[in-house]
């Protein structure tokens, strides 16, 4: 009886899954076109899944092993089940391998069941709570029906009642694991996730030929010359089709939720729910069935949408509220943690672009800042001619006078801020102590455009960027050095798409901590030993997660004789200070302040001083009331510790490469 029923059940499930897959693909294809190398992507998918993805999944060793056993066992069991029970190829070792695969899957499902017994708050519940039972139903039924096929049980073992019972359990398993994979349910992420890895919007994030992938964190430029194109994303169908595919790949594990600083602060943002809302909009419906943590202060069931309907409504219900999008600090903690490599920040900025460019709907001081950038080339609205007033006594060399230098020192808009002027003065002192040949643009320098781009004003960003590019192209230098990670990121990773000549091919952009570390390594700096108290270090998001620089600042502190007391959340899991993405400008209220939470992290180390490497981080952390630690930039710590070279010692200096012309 089983010999007759099994092929029917298996191929019926596969047929329905194929129909569901076509339906799912049609949902994704509602999005805008996005050319992808189909064959190359499909060929790369196994490596991306088995190797590249697991450096993130592997951060949780128990669940990583569970995933290997469960997912690996399922894939093997599904293929072998078709061969053994669908096509009747039980001869040889195939049946035995099928037993091993289904048994491995069952072991993995037991760990899934244990995790779901008392799930962490970040995990979605609802339909996901039945997943362990479905995994067990599939693995156990496949194991049981394979026993007669390999001769461990008589072929006529049991009765037709037992056969029907086994088939019923198998139908349950097939329904969730195969049919549900394409039609919807907890296993939907397996089908969408595999194709998402194949056709990822940022394929360069994956490794090639065994090497490391590109971090690829720069935002993609809008084509402002295309008058027919929507400026940003107004509705779900305005996303590219592979962005919609990426949203559908979400496994609802909640890792992004657990790391999001805005969610922790009680602001109305949960990156996991935001992605699920985009899935709701793609398919049409409401968020009433969502079974995870809501946006803080916003009950589930209040949002709805359609593929062609607005994501943010000016009147009535929509998928998300505008304040949800403006709560994001663009810190990329969600992207860094996502085991499916979903690009949350890209989606948020795409939606912000529409609100800003089409509706001029930037909250609180956003509109004022953007107006200032247009009128004065700086967000504070200061006189552009006053950019160098802080350095009147320093006699800084100007590129306009010199024409070339080894280092172009990019000041950033911290030049207008009295607190950051102290950092800049310290950095100048360090460069001069190391006998670095440097110059500045002076009043020719404009805002890098970072804050305009994160607030969604792509037009102002591109205007600022292109004028800066034109200025840079007039001079000869070997590298740019800046103490602002936001400028560092934009200059090095986002100007190139706008036609920056040679950026970054002909010269390098360095964060000042990286450059100071190089000066120490070259023996060009001499310092007295650290005599202060305990020190911890705060990783800026735009230096760490955006650009992968974690070691250089710590090497500088080590060169000063400082032993860093690491915070629990440091490195790639560092907590954001709350200063990125224009968040201090949009100022969406929450239950607590993000910098207060970060200063609590500092306090837990017992450190008396927190070293930073970003003007935004300095401002946010120094703004904490009753702070337990002093905030000092790395350049300030080095400048204070500088001393003369030991008597009789040869002053070392790195060989200076010839300046190159940027043209």
């Amino acid at each position: 009886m089983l010999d007759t029923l099994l092929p029917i059940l298996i191929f019926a499930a596969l047929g329905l899954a194929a129909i569901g897959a076509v339906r799912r693909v049609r949902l994704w294809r509602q999005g805008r076109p996005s050319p992808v190398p189909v064959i190359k992507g499909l060929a790369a998918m196994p490596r991306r899944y088995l190797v590249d993805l697991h450096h993130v999944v592997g951060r949780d060793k128990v669940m990583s092993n569970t995933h290997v056993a469960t997912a690996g066992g399922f894939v093997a069991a599904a293929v072998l089940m078709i061969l053994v029970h669908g096509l009747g190829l039980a001869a040889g070792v195939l049946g035995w391998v099928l037993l091993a695969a289904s048994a491995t899957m069952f072991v993995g499902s037991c760990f899934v069941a244990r995790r779901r017994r008392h799930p962490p708050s970040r995990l979605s519940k609802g339909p996901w709570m039945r997943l362990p039972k479905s995994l067990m139903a599939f693995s156990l039924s496949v194991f049981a029906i394979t026993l007669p096929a390999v001769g461990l049980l008589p072929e006529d073992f049991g009765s037709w009642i037992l056969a029907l019972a086994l088939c019923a359990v198998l139908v349950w398993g097939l329904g969730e694991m195969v049919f549900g994979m394409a039609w919807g349910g907890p296993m939907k992420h397996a089908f969408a996730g595999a194709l998402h890895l194949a056709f990822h919007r940022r394929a360069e994030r994956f490794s090639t030929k065994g090497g490391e992938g590109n971090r690829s964190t720069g935002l993609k430029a809008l084509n402002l010359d295309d008058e027919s194109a929507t400026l940003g994303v107004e509705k779900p169908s305005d996303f590219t089709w592979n962005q919609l595919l990426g949203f559908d790949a979400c496994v609802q594990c909640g890792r992004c939720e657990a790391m999001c600083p805005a969610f922790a602060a009680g602001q109305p943002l949960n990156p996991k729910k935001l992605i699920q809302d985009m899935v709701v909009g793609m398919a049409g419906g409401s968020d009433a069935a969502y079974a995870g943590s809501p946006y803080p202060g916003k009950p589930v069931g209040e949002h709805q949408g359609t593929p062609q309907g607005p994501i943010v409504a000016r009147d009535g219900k929509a998928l998300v509220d505008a304040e949800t999008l403006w709560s994001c600090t663009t810190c990329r903690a969600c992207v860094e943690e996502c085991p499916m490599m979903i690009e949350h920040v890209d989606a948020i900025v795409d939606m912000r672009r529409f609100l800003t460019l089409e509706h001029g709907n930037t909250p609180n001081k956003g509109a004022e800042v953007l107006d200032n950038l247009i009128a004065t080339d700086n967000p504070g609205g200061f006189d552009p001619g006053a950019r160098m007033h802080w350095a009147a006594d320093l006699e800084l060399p100007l590129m306009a006078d010199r024409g070339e230098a080894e280092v172009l020192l990019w000041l950033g808009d911290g030049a207008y801020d009295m607190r950051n002027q102290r950092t800049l003065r310290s950095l100048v002192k360090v460069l001069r102590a190391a006998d670095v040949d440097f110059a500045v643009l002076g009043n020719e320098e404009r805002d890098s455009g970072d804050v305009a781009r994160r607030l969604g004003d792509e037009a102002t960003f591109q205007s600022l960027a292109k004028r800066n590019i034109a200025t840079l192209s007039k001079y000869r230098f070997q590298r740019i050095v800046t103490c602002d990670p936001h400028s560092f990121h934009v200059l090095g990773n986002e100007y190139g798409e706008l036609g920056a000549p040679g950026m970054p091919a002909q010269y390098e952009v360095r964060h000042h901590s990286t450059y100071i570390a190089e000066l120490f390594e070259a023996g060009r700096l001499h310092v007295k030993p650290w005599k202060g108290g305990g020190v911890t270090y705060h990783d800026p998001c735009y230096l760490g997660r955006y650009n992968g620089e974690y070691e250089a600042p710590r090497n500088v502190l080590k060169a000063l004789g400082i032993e860093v007391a690491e915070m629990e959340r440091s490195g790639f899991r560092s907590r954001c200070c709350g200063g990125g993405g224009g968040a201090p400008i949009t100022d969406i209220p929450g239950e607590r302040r993000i910098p207060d939470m970060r200063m609590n992290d500092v306090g837990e180390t017992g450190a008396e001083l927190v070293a930073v490497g970003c003007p935004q981080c300095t401002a946010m952390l120094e703004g904490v009331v009753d702070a337990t630690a002093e905030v000092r930039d790395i350049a300030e710590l080095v400048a204070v510790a500088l001393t003369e070279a030991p008597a009789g010692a040869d002053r070392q200096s790195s060989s200076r490469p010839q300046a190159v012309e940027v043209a």
Side-chain angles (χ1 to χ4, degrees), residues 68-97:
V68 169
T70 308
F74 166 69
V75 172
V79 172
L80 290 168
M81 178 184 65
I82 296 171
L83 296 176
V84 173
H85 298 295
L87 301 177
L89 303 178
V93 299
L94 288 182
W96 292 98
V97 177

PDB file of all heavy atoms in Angstrom, residues 68-97:
ATOM      1  N   VAL A  68      22.788  23.065  11.026  1.00  0.00           N
ATOM      2  CA  VAL A  68      23.477  22.129  10.133  1.00  0.00           C
ATOM      3  C   VAL A  68      22.768  20.778  10.143  1.00  0.00           C
ATOM      4  O   VAL A  68      22.517  20.174   9.094  1.00  0.00           O
ATOM      5  CB  VAL A  68      24.952  21.969  10.544  1.00  0.00           C
ATOM      6  CG1 VAL A  68      25.595  20.801   9.793  1.00  0.00           C
ATOM      7  CG2 VAL A  68      25.715  23.254  10.265  1.00  0.00           C
ATOM      8  N   ALA A  69      22.436  20.305  11.351  1.00  0.00           N
ATOM      9  CA  ALA A  69      21.788  18.997  11.461  1.00  0.00           C
ATOM     10  C   ALA A  69      20.386  19.014  10.854  1.00  0.00           C
ATOM     11  O   ALA A  69      20.021  18.115  10.076  1.00  0.00           O
ATOM     12  CB  ALA A  69      21.721  18.572  12.924  1.00  0.00           C
ATOM     13  N   THR A  70      19.616  20.046  11.182  1.00  0.00           N
ATOM     14  CA  THR A  70      18.223  20.095  10.732  1.00  0.00           C
ATOM     15  C   THR A  70      18.119  20.402   9.237  1.00  0.00           C
ATOM     16  O   THR A  70      17.469  19.663   8.479  1.00  0.00           O
ATOM     17  CB  THR A  70      17.446  21.150  11.532  1.00  0.00           C
ATOM     18  OG1 THR A  70      17.624  20.915  12.932  1.00  0.00           O
ATOM     19  CG2 THR A  70      15.969  21.083  11.208  1.00  0.00           C
ATOM     20  N   ALA A  71      18.761  21.485   8.808  1.00  0.00           N
ATOM     21  CA  ALA A  71      18.666  21.876   7.402  1.00  0.00           C
ATOM     22  C   ALA A  71      19.406  20.898   6.503  1.00  0.00           C
ATOM     23  O   ALA A  71      18.892  20.485   5.455  1.00  0.00           O
ATOM     24  CB  ALA A  71      19.223  23.286   7.214  1.00  0.00           C
ATOM     25  N   GLY A  72      20.608  20.509   6.935  1.00  0.00           N
ATOM     26  CA  GLY A  72      21.361  19.551   6.128  1.00  0.00           C
ATOM     27  C   GLY A  72      20.655  18.213   6.033  1.00  0.00           C
ATOM     28  O   GLY A  72      20.586  17.597   4.963  1.00  0.00           O
ATOM     29  N   GLY A  73      20.111  17.764   7.175  1.00  0.00           N
ATOM     30  CA  GLY A  73      19.371  16.507   7.178  1.00  0.00           C
ATOM     31  C   GLY A  73      18.146  16.566   6.304  1.00  0.00           C
ATOM     32  O   GLY A  73      17.826  15.604   5.585  1.00  0.00           O
ATOM     33  N   PHE A  74      17.445  17.734   6.329  1.00  0.00           N
ATOM     34  CA  PHE A  74      16.238  17.863   5.511  1.00  0.00           C
ATOM     35  C   PHE A  74      16.562  17.820   4.025  1.00  0.00           C
ATOM     36  O   PHE A  74      15.896  17.121   3.251  1.00  0.00           O
ATOM     37  CB  PHE A  74      15.505  19.157   5.836  1.00  0.00           C
ATOM     38  CG  PHE A  74      14.463  19.514   4.820  1.00  0.00           C
ATOM     39  CD1 PHE A  74      13.307  18.757   4.693  1.00  0.00           C
ATOM     40  CD2 PHE A  74      14.655  20.584   3.952  1.00  0.00           C
ATOM     41  CE1 PHE A  74      12.350  19.064   3.732  1.00  0.00           C
ATOM     42  CE2 PHE A  74      13.709  20.899   2.995  1.00  0.00           C
ATOM     43  CZ  PHE A  74      12.553  20.145   2.883  1.00  0.00           C
ATOM     44  N   VAL A  75      17.571  18.607   3.601  1.00  0.00           N
ATOM     45  CA  VAL A  75      17.916  18.639   2.178  1.00  0.00           C
ATOM     46  C   VAL A  75      18.284  17.241   1.687  1.00  0.00           C
ATOM     47  O   VAL A  75      17.806  16.771   0.638  1.00  0.00           O
ATOM     48  CB  VAL A  75      19.068  19.631   1.920  1.00  0.00           C
ATOM     49  CG1 VAL A  75      19.560  19.518   0.476  1.00  0.00           C
ATOM     50  CG2 VAL A  75      18.620  21.053   2.215  1.00  0.00           C
ATOM     51  N   ALA A  76      19.137  16.556   2.472  1.00  0.00           N
ATOM     52  CA  ALA A  76      19.542  15.203   2.071  1.00  0.00           C
ATOM     53  C   ALA A  76      18.352  14.248   2.072  1.00  0.00           C
ATOM     54  O   ALA A  76      18.167  13.450   1.141  1.00  0.00           O
ATOM     55  CB  ALA A  76      20.638  14.693   3.001  1.00  0.00           C
ATOM     56  N   ALA A  77      17.520  14.324   3.127  1.00  0.00           N
ATOM     57  CA  ALA A  77      16.377  13.423   3.235  1.00  0.00           C
ATOM     58  C   ALA A  77      15.364  13.679   2.120  1.00  0.00           C
ATOM     59  O   ALA A  77      14.779  12.733   1.570  1.00  0.00           O
ATOM     60  CB  ALA A  77      15.714  13.581   4.605  1.00  0.00           C
ATOM     61  N   ALA A  78      15.137  14.951   1.778  1.00  0.00           N
ATOM     62  CA  ALA A  78      14.162  15.271   0.732  1.00  0.00           C
ATOM     63  C   ALA A  78      14.598  14.713  -0.620  1.00  0.00           C
ATOM     64  O   ALA A  78      13.804  14.107  -1.347  1.00  0.00           O
ATOM     65  CB  ALA A  78      13.972  16.784   0.655  1.00  0.00           C
ATOM     66  N   VAL A  79      15.873  14.914  -0.949  1.00  0.00           N
ATOM     67  CA  VAL A  79      16.379  14.410  -2.234  1.00  0.00           C
ATOM     68  C   VAL A  79      16.330  12.888  -2.267  1.00  0.00           C
ATOM     69  O   VAL A  79      15.869  12.264  -3.238  1.00  0.00           O
ATOM     70  CB  VAL A  79      17.812  14.923  -2.478  1.00  0.00           C
ATOM     71  CG1 VAL A  79      18.411  14.253  -3.714  1.00  0.00           C
ATOM     72  CG2 VAL A  79      17.820  16.435  -2.633  1.00  0.00           C
ATOM     73  N   LEU A  80      16.802  12.262  -1.191  1.00  0.00           N
ATOM     74  CA  LEU A  80      16.841  10.793  -1.142  1.00  0.00           C
ATOM     75  C   LEU A  80      15.436  10.201  -1.092  1.00  0.00           C
ATOM     76  O   LEU A  80      15.189   9.116  -1.629  1.00  0.00           O
ATOM     77  CB  LEU A  80      17.661  10.339   0.059  1.00  0.00           C
ATOM     78  CG  LEU A  80      19.174  10.607  -0.054  1.00  0.00           C
ATOM     79  CD1 LEU A  80      19.843  10.405   1.298  1.00  0.00           C
ATOM     80  CD2 LEU A  80      19.801   9.697  -1.103  1.00  0.00           C
ATOM     81  N   MET A  81      14.503  10.901  -0.452  1.00  0.00           N
ATOM     82  CA  MET A  81      13.123  10.423  -0.387  1.00  0.00           C
ATOM     83  C   MET A  81      12.526  10.340  -1.798  1.00  0.00           C
ATOM     84  O   MET A  81      11.815   9.383  -2.130  1.00  0.00           O
ATOM     85  CB  MET A  81      12.288  11.358   0.480  1.00  0.00           C
ATOM     86  CG  MET A  81      10.809  10.972   0.584  1.00  0.00           C
ATOM     87  SD  MET A  81       9.857  12.177   1.533  1.00  0.00           S
ATOM     88  CE  MET A  81       9.999  13.621   0.477  1.00  0.00           C
ATOM     89  N   ILE A  82      12.816  11.331  -2.622  1.00  0.00           N
ATOM     90  CA  ILE A  82      12.329  11.302  -4.002  1.00  0.00           C
ATOM     91  C   ILE A  82      12.912  10.102  -4.745  1.00  0.00           C
ATOM     92  O   ILE A  82      12.210   9.389  -5.477  1.00  0.00           O
ATOM     93  CB  ILE A  82      12.691  12.619  -4.713  1.00  0.00           C
ATOM     94  CG1 ILE A  82      11.965  13.794  -4.052  1.00  0.00           C
ATOM     95  CG2 ILE A  82      12.342  12.542  -6.199  1.00  0.00           C
ATOM     96  CD1 ILE A  82      12.428  15.148  -4.540  1.00  0.00           C
ATOM     97  N   LEU A  83      14.215   9.850  -4.544  1.00  0.00           N
ATOM     98  CA  LEU A  83      14.874   8.748  -5.235  1.00  0.00           C
ATOM     99  C   LEU A  83      14.390   7.390  -4.732  1.00  0.00           C
ATOM    100  O   LEU A  83      14.073   6.485  -5.513  1.00  0.00           O
ATOM    101  CB  LEU A  83      16.396   8.854  -5.063  1.00  0.00           C
ATOM    102  CG  LEU A  83      17.063  10.089  -5.683  1.00  0.00           C
ATOM    103  CD1 LEU A  83      18.548  10.110  -5.340  1.00  0.00           C
ATOM    104  CD2 LEU A  83      16.868  10.102  -7.191  1.00  0.00           C
ATOM    105  N   VAL A  84      14.322   7.259  -3.393  1.00  0.00           N
ATOM    106  CA  VAL A  84      14.016   5.953  -2.795  1.00  0.00           C
ATOM    107  C   VAL A  84      12.528   5.636  -2.872  1.00  0.00           C
ATOM    108  O   VAL A  84      12.124   4.554  -3.320  1.00  0.00           O
ATOM    109  CB  VAL A  84      14.509   5.903  -1.332  1.00  0.00           C
ATOM    110  CG1 VAL A  84      14.028   4.616  -0.647  1.00  0.00           C
ATOM    111  CG2 VAL A  84      16.026   5.993  -1.292  1.00  0.00           C
ATOM    112  N   HIS A  85      11.698   6.582  -2.442  1.00  0.00           N
ATOM    113  CA  HIS A  85      10.263   6.296  -2.359  1.00  0.00           C
ATOM    114  C   HIS A  85       9.467   6.840  -3.549  1.00  0.00           C
ATOM    115  O   HIS A  85       8.386   6.328  -3.843  1.00  0.00           O
ATOM    116  CB  HIS A  85       9.694   6.867  -1.061  1.00  0.00           C
ATOM    117  CG  HIS A  85      10.293   6.263   0.170  1.00  0.00           C
ATOM    118  ND1 HIS A  85      10.122   4.942   0.494  1.00  0.00           N
ATOM    119  CD2 HIS A  85      11.083   6.802   1.139  1.00  0.00           C
ATOM    120  CE1 HIS A  85      10.775   4.682   1.632  1.00  0.00           C
ATOM    121  NE2 HIS A  85      11.360   5.790   2.032  1.00  0.00           N
ATOM    122  N   GLY A  86      10.006   7.864  -4.205  1.00  0.00           N
ATOM    123  CA  GLY A  86       9.309   8.391  -5.362  1.00  0.00           C
ATOM    124  C   GLY A  86       9.622   7.620  -6.632  1.00  0.00           C
ATOM    125  O   GLY A  86       8.730   7.327  -7.426  1.00  0.00           O
ATOM    126  N   LEU A  87      10.912   7.264  -6.781  1.00  0.00           N
ATOM    127  CA  LEU A  87      11.342   6.568  -7.992  1.00  0.00           C
ATOM    128  C   LEU A  87      11.667   5.105  -7.745  1.00  0.00           C
ATOM    129  O   LEU A  87      12.036   4.386  -8.673  1.00  0.00           O
ATOM    130  CB  LEU A  87      12.570   7.283  -8.586  1.00  0.00           C
ATOM    131  CG  LEU A  87      12.360   8.759  -8.967  1.00  0.00           C
ATOM    132  CD1 LEU A  87      13.662   9.369  -9.465  1.00  0.00           C
ATOM    133  CD2 LEU A  87      11.271   8.885 -10.029  1.00  0.00           C
ATOM    134  N   GLY A  88      11.569   4.659  -6.486  1.00  0.00           N
ATOM    135  CA  GLY A  88      11.781   3.250  -6.167  1.00  0.00           C
ATOM    136  C   GLY A  88      13.226   2.790  -6.277  1.00  0.00           C
ATOM    137  O   GLY A  88      13.485   1.627  -6.606  1.00  0.00           O
ATOM    138  N   LEU A  89      14.191   3.675  -5.983  1.00  0.00           N
ATOM    139  CA  LEU A  89      15.609   3.317  -6.083  1.00  0.00           C
ATOM    140  C   LEU A  89      16.195   3.006  -4.709  1.00  0.00           C
ATOM    141  O   LEU A  89      17.165   3.604  -4.259  1.00  0.00           O
ATOM    142  CB  LEU A  89      16.393   4.477  -6.734  1.00  0.00           C
ATOM    143  CG  LEU A  89      15.903   4.914  -8.119  1.00  0.00           C
ATOM    144  CD1 LEU A  89      16.716   6.095  -8.622  1.00  0.00           C
ATOM    145  CD2 LEU A  89      15.994   3.746  -9.099  1.00  0.00           C
ATOM    146  N   ALA A  90      15.597   2.037  -4.033  1.00  0.00           N
ATOM    147  CA  ALA A  90      16.027   1.716  -2.675  1.00  0.00           C
ATOM    148  C   ALA A  90      17.206   0.765  -2.637  1.00  0.00           C
ATOM    149  O   ALA A  90      17.768   0.498  -1.577  1.00  0.00           O
ATOM    150  CB  ALA A  90      14.865   1.123  -1.882  1.00  0.00           C
ATOM    151  N   ALA A  91      17.587   0.250  -3.774  1.00  0.00           N
ATOM    152  CA  ALA A  91      18.673  -0.725  -3.781  1.00  0.00           C
ATOM    153  C   ALA A  91      19.990  -0.046  -3.410  1.00  0.00           C
ATOM    154  O   ALA A  91      20.180   1.147  -3.599  1.00  0.00           O
ATOM    155  CB  ALA A  91      18.783  -1.361  -5.168  1.00  0.00           C
ATOM    156  N   GLY A  92      20.925  -0.847  -2.866  1.00  0.00           N
ATOM    157  CA  GLY A  92      22.232  -0.318  -2.511  1.00  0.00           C
ATOM    158  C   GLY A  92      22.183   0.476  -1.218  1.00  0.00           C
ATOM    159  O   GLY A  92      21.442   0.152  -0.289  1.00  0.00           O
ATOM    160  N   VAL A  93      22.964   1.566  -1.189  1.00  0.00           N
ATOM    161  CA  VAL A  93      23.133   2.302   0.062  1.00  0.00           C
ATOM    162  C   VAL A  93      22.166   3.478   0.199  1.00  0.00           C
ATOM    163  O   VAL A  93      22.121   4.112   1.252  1.00  0.00           O
ATOM    164  CB  VAL A  93      24.578   2.831   0.170  1.00  0.00           C
ATOM    165  CG1 VAL A  93      25.575   1.683   0.167  1.00  0.00           C
ATOM    166  CG2 VAL A  93      24.886   3.807  -0.944  1.00  0.00           C
ATOM    167  N   LEU A  94      21.406   3.791  -0.843  1.00  0.00           N
ATOM    168  CA  LEU A  94      20.558   4.983  -0.782  1.00  0.00           C
ATOM    169  C   LEU A  94      19.584   4.946   0.383  1.00  0.00           C
ATOM    170  O   LEU A  94      19.373   5.949   1.076  1.00  0.00           O
ATOM    171  CB  LEU A  94      19.790   5.149  -2.097  1.00  0.00           C
ATOM    172  CG  LEU A  94      20.596   5.593  -3.325  1.00  0.00           C
ATOM    173  CD1 LEU A  94      19.683   5.755  -4.523  1.00  0.00           C
ATOM    174  CD2 LEU A  94      21.336   6.885  -3.043  1.00  0.00           C
ATOM    175  N   GLY A  95      18.978   3.797   0.608  1.00  0.00           N
ATOM    176  CA  GLY A  95      18.032   3.678   1.713  1.00  0.00           C
ATOM    177  C   GLY A  95      18.693   3.904   3.054  1.00  0.00           C
ATOM    178  O   GLY A  95      18.125   4.566   3.937  1.00  0.00           O
ATOM    179  N   TRP A  96      19.897   3.356   3.206  1.00  0.00           N
ATOM    180  CA  TRP A  96      20.612   3.530   4.476  1.00  0.00           C
ATOM    181  C   TRP A  96      21.022   4.996   4.687  1.00  0.00           C
ATOM    182  O   TRP A  96      20.952   5.513   5.806  1.00  0.00           O
ATOM    183  CB  TRP A  96      21.844   2.625   4.511  1.00  0.00           C
ATOM    184  CG  TRP A  96      21.491   1.170   4.567  1.00  0.00           C
ATOM    185  CD1 TRP A  96      21.436   0.276   3.543  1.00  0.00           C
ATOM    186  CD2 TRP A  96      21.102   0.450   5.747  1.00  0.00           C
ATOM    187  NE1 TRP A  96      21.047  -0.959   3.981  1.00  0.00           N
ATOM    188  CE2 TRP A  96      20.838  -0.885   5.346  1.00  0.00           C
ATOM    189  CE3 TRP A  96      20.950   0.786   7.088  1.00  0.00           C
ATOM    190  CZ2 TRP A  96      20.433  -1.874   6.239  1.00  0.00           C
ATOM    191  CZ3 TRP A  96      20.552  -0.200   7.989  1.00  0.00           C
ATOM    192  CH2 TRP A  96      20.294  -1.507   7.554  1.00  0.00           C
ATOM    193  N   VAL A  97      21.439   5.637   3.628  1.00  0.00           N
ATOM    194  CA  VAL A  97      21.796   7.057   3.737  1.00  0.00           C
ATOM    195  C   VAL A  97      20.557   7.884   4.087  1.00  0.00           C
ATOM    196  O   VAL A  97      20.626   8.837   4.868  1.00  0.00           O
ATOM    197  CB  VAL A  97      22.432   7.561   2.426  1.00  0.00           C
ATOM    198  CG1 VAL A  97      22.737   9.057   2.518  1.00  0.00           C
ATOM    199  CG2 VAL A  97      23.708   6.795   2.129  1.00  0.00           C
TER     200      VAL A  97
END
